[in-house]
Amino acid sequence: MEDDIILKISYRIKEIRKEKNITIQELANRAGVSKGLISQIENNRTIPSLPVLMNIVHSLDLDLTAFFKDISPGDRQEKVFVIRSSEYTSLKKEAAKGFNYQRILARNIHGGPVDFVLLELKKGARRNKMVVTDAFEYKYLVKGKIEYLIEDKTYILEEGDSIFFDGRLGHNLSNIGESDAIMLVVYYFITND
């Protein structure tokens, strides 16, 4: 199953940058943006504006036609999707140890990209810093016990609990249970029209 165009673009940027042995900092310098913005774009935490995307593509020494060559919206005729677990794709969103992401489905729904992800948090996994995402986030805890810090408030979730929040708020996540935790995560990206 093909991912949505927005998510394909972020993956393609990362893929080409790595193929050309360009560091995130080098690409950021060439495109005239911050290293953090490149990282957020590559890790599906934000959506680039059209001028930023064009600068990034040109900074990769590609023209727009070459960059978008294999990117298509997929079959928009289908109304029902069955996604087999064997079709989930591993996704590297961050360097935090013990955070294993698998993309289930990514689609553009009513004008906004939505990403459905399964997150496995190994026992004791925690981030070292707060993160932000240009998306509304819904998390359903399938298994385990976790602690969420959103801005300066702590939330404890146990199996079957869920949380919904604006990902632009600084947030952090830790597995505080006695075993690995599994979460269903839905990101609804905020587009700036």
Side-chain angles (χ1 to χ4, degrees), residues 105-118:
L105 173 69
R107 280 285 170 252
N108 202 7
I109 300 174
H110 295 290
V114 180
D115 199 7
F116 297 85
V117 174
L118 198 59

Side-chain angles (χ1 to χ4, degrees), residues 70-133:
D70 298 323
I71 297 177
S72 66
D75 185 2
R76 296 289 182 198
Q77 303 292 328
E78 291 194 49
K79 302 281 185 205
V80 176
F81 297 96
V82 174
I83 303 102
R84 306 289 178 205
S85 60
S86 61
E87 296 174 301
Y88 298 175
T89 56
S90 291
L91 177 63
K92 181 92 170 143
K93 282 188 80 75
E94 58 192 303
K97 188 175 179 184
F99 284 61
N100 301 318
Y101 293 87
Q102 285 191 305
R103 175 167 291 132
I104 298 170
L105 173 69
R107 280 285 170 252
N108 202 7
I109 300 174
H110 295 290
V114 180
D115 199 7
F116 297 85
V117 174
L118 198 59
L119 170 58
E120 178 188 24
L121 290 161
K122 294 295 187 183
K123 181 180 174 183
R126 65 181 60 246
R127 285 191 190 113
N128 294 325
K129 62 181 182 172
M130 300 285 267
V131 296
V132 294
T133 306

Side-chain angles (χ1 to χ4, degrees), residues 97-99 119-127 141 143-149 155-157 172-183:
K97 188 175 179 184
F99 284 61
L119 170 58
E120 178 188 24
L121 290 161
K122 294 295 187 183
K123 181 180 174 183
R126 65 181 60 246
R127 285 191 190 113
L141 191 59
K143 174 185 160 194
K145 183 176 181 180
I146 61 139
E147 176 183 274
Y148 241 108
L149 177 62
Y155 303 87
I156 304 296
L157 300 179
N172 203 339
L173 172 64
S174 301
N175 181 346
I176 60 170
E178 296 300 316
S179 64
D180 294 351
I182 297 176
M183 295 180 80

